Amino acid sequence: MQLPQHHQKPSAHSCCSSWIRRSPPPSPPPHKRAGGVGRSRYACRLVPLLVLTVYSVVTVLRIPSSSLVVSTADSERVERREDLEALKTHLPSNQNGLEAREETRSVASLPCSAFISGEAGHGAAADAEGVLCCDRSHYRSDVCYLRGDVRTDPSTTSVLLYNAPRGSAPEKVRPYTRKFEGSVMSSIDEVTIVPVPPGGGGGGAHSNMSVGVGGGGRRCDVRHPRGVAAVVFSTGGYTGNVYHEFSDGLVPLFVTAQRFAGEVVFVVLEYHYWWLGRYGAVLEQLTNYRVVDFRHDRRVHCFDEMVVGLRIHGELVVDPKLMPDGKSIKDFQALLHQGYSRTTTTASASSSSPTPLLPLAPPTRPCPRSANKPKMLIFIRKQNRVLLNLPQVVTACRRAGFAPHVMNLRRQTPLAAIHAALASADAMVAVHGAAVTHFLFMRPGSVLLQIVPVGLDWAADAFYGKPAQQLGLDYLEYRVAPEESSLAAEYGLNSTVVRTPWVISSRGWWEMKKVYMDRQNVTVNVKRFADLLRAARARLRNTTACAAKPAAPLR
């Protein structure tokens, strides 16, 4: 009699199949089925227990006792070893061990910053497919990178990339380093980057013919040699103020372009002829080619690589950790020294082979004598933040043991003359303002003494104090007391403007500038200022080398 379906006993196969995957055993003869049910039940229980026992014994014998306990520090290595063991079981190999291979990263997988900084190199894979990417992660600037058949279109202030990666979209960039300041950025010319996919025109990286996006083809008027890149940037915005000319322009240009070792063309928007005349000595250290005026040079320039925009690290900062070759602000200073020293040499000397860029050495001067005092330059202002008791300050500098020289800078003062004066100086005194930027010309070990008006503590330290220390200068501050500021007479000694400047500064940069930068003059306390001068003199005595003879003029 057959049992109902829900009372049927499970077969040996149905019980054991969840543990051991194999073909079911043949059915027993009909006359042995009744007596085999009990034995099948015991076999179903014993077989998995036997398999587990054998596996546990083998595992214990194979693993050393010291490896039974895995520390937290070793867990990552253990996981990697297990991954490799699993990989060996899935990847057949004739070798006894697993050979580790580094995968070649595709162009699409590389971050845009790697192309901009040059870390991505210039490989054949990149040449074949073209590159177009933009890095918009920095709060100061947007920078785009193009590689392939790159052509300028001055009629529309645009750049075309032929054989661009499929799916690339047009990009718009204002190549200036104050992205956070909308009012200034709105005045900067915008560059449009137009990708043209394969089949959309062009004839390869070295073709002179092109078919424009709208069907109007233009010929390459200037085909720049292979390997010569372009860097596109603007000299608009705050250009005209020496601080911004360096902080927003020349230092970022060094950060972006120095990796090309001169094989780069500068394509400039809002181009100024006076800017080229003033900073030509610097540009000559970064490029071997003439500057291109993007707006007025109507020719189509063709490149195989281009950077649109400038990388920036901060206020007058070159961060070695962000530079592929580890260069710093000292390398930028060496470039300045090389450029402006050459402008003072004779024509015969300038025609000789150029000397390598070397950092400035610490200042050397005659051993202390009454007739040889350390040279101090005092930079003065005439419109705002004026040092009202300048004669008393000059006398205090002389009594502290310095030989003071007043620097009355004008816009037409050649930078080579300013460089020559500061490169041979031991100390510099200036009220906070753009002229302090010239500390970049000073030798390491020199003293920068900045007079900080009321309400400008943060700006003085961020814009000049920290950069000067990174350059190796000995930095000192004279913070103007409330009663030493002209704002005390205008607003009252106990007013919010004088006593709690942060309240005004919290209203924004322009409000702070209007009050503390545009309407303030200072009268320093000569006695307190003299104490700081003596400290500066003592530091020079301890850190500045002296020579048996007067130092030769800087060449």
Side-chain angles (χ1 to χ4, degrees), residues 265-448:
V265 174
F266 296 148
V267 181
V268 181
L269 290 89
E270 288 94 32
Y271 176 89
H272 305 288
Y273 286 101
W274 65 261
W275 176 84
L276 182 61
R278 188 169 178 80
Y279 296 111
V282 181
L283 302 178
E284 288 176 357
Q285 309 305 309
L286 290 171
T287 177
N288 301 326
Y289 303 90
R290 290 186 177 184
V291 173
V292 174
D293 181 351
F294 200 164
R295 178 181 293 173
H296 295 103
D297 187 340
R298 311 310 294 176
R299 297 175 297 175
V300 175
H301 291 261
C302 299
F303 304 88
D304 59 12
E305 188 175 12
M306 177 179 285
V307 177
V308 183
L310 300 178
R311 299 169 63 216
I312 185 170
H313 296 162
E315 307 293 342
L316 296 177
V317 171
V318 180
D319 189 345
K321 298 188 294 295
L322 300 178
M323 300 289 285
D325 48 12
K327 293 193 174 184
S328 70
I329 190 66
K330 294 182 179 180
D331 295 284
F332 177 73
Q333 187 197 47
L335 180 143
L336 295 177
H337 172 60
Q338 180 79 357
Y340 288 117
S341 295
R342 290 180 62 185
T343 61
T344 59
T345 58
T346 62
S348 59
S350 63
S351 62
S352 61
S353 58
T355 56
L357 292 179
L358 297 174
L360 291 177
T364 58
R365 53 184 172 76
C367 293
R369 294 183 302 175
S370 59
N372 294 299
K373 297 181 179 181
K375 178 181 176 182
M376 172 178 279
L377 300 184
I378 304 174
F379 285 75
I380 63 173
R381 298 177 59 89
K382 289 190 173 181
Q383 294 183 350
N384 48 42
R385 283 161 279 154
V386 176
L387 188 57
L388 297 176
N389 58 339
L390 176 63
Q392 291 82 358
V393 169
V394 173
T395 300
C397 292
R398 186 176 295 111
R399 289 176 177 175
F402 290 96
H405 300 265
V406 176
M407 295 288 292
N408 183 11
L409 298 184
R410 295 179 174 84
R411 185 64 191 174
Q412 61 270 27
T413 303
L415 276 181
I418 303 173
H419 172 267
L422 277 170
S424 61
D426 298 281
M428 169 182 170
V429 174
V431 180
H432 172 76
V436 185
T437 309
H438 295 112
F439 77 81
L440 291 167
F441 296 154
M442 301 180 72
R443 295 175 180 270
S446 303
V447 172
L448 171 62

Side-chain angles (χ1 to χ4, degrees), residues 496-497 501-512 514-515:
T496 299
V497 168
W502 63 267
V503 175
I504 307 300
S505 300
S506 65
R507 299 174 185 173
W509 168 261
W510 290 108
E511 189 68 20
M512 185 272 285
K514 180 176 67 175
V515 175

Side-chain angles (χ1 to χ4, degrees), residues 23-175:
S23 301
S27 301
H31 64 279
K32 293 185 178 182
R33 286 181 182 174
V37 172
R39 287 191 297 272
S40 298
R41 183 185 308 165
Y42 288 112
C44 181
R45 294 177 179 176
L46 288 176
V47 169
L49 291 175
L50 180 61
V51 171
L52 288 175
T53 302
V54 173
Y55 177 81
S56 300
V57 172
V58 172
T59 303
V60 171
L61 291 177
R62 290 183 60 187
I63 301 178
S65 59
S66 62
S67 64
L68 293 178
V69 179
V70 181
S71 65
T72 304
D74 293 334
S75 62
E76 183 177 354
R77 290 193 295 271
V78 171
E79 291 174 0
R80 291 176 180 173
R81 184 169 62 249
E82 290 175 351
D83 290 341
L84 290 175
E85 291 295 330
L87 193 62
K88 288 180 181 179
T89 63
H90 291 83
L91 295 179
S93 175
N94 295 329
Q95 300 177 353
N96 294 328
L98 181 66
E99 181 180 349
R101 294 182 178 88
E102 181 180 358
E103 291 188 15
T104 302
R105 300 180 67 183
S106 66
V107 173
S109 69
L110 293 171
C112 194
S113 58
F115 292 100
I116 297 168
S117 65
E119 296 174 279
H122 196 109
D127 292 336
E129 60 187 63
V131 178
L132 170 57
C133 65
C134 293
D135 183 357
R136 302 182 186 272
S137 61
H138 202 280
Y139 80 102
R140 288 289 301 263
S141 66
D142 293 332
V143 186
C144 292
Y145 178 87
L146 300 83
R147 181 183 291 174
D149 185 0
V150 184
R151 308 189 181 200
T152 65
D153 184 358
S155 63
T156 58
T157 319
S158 60
V159 176
L160 283 74
L161 175 63
Y162 291 94
N163 296 323
R166 294 189 181 277
S168 300
E171 302 280 358
K172 293 183 179 293
V173 185
R174 297 185 188 273

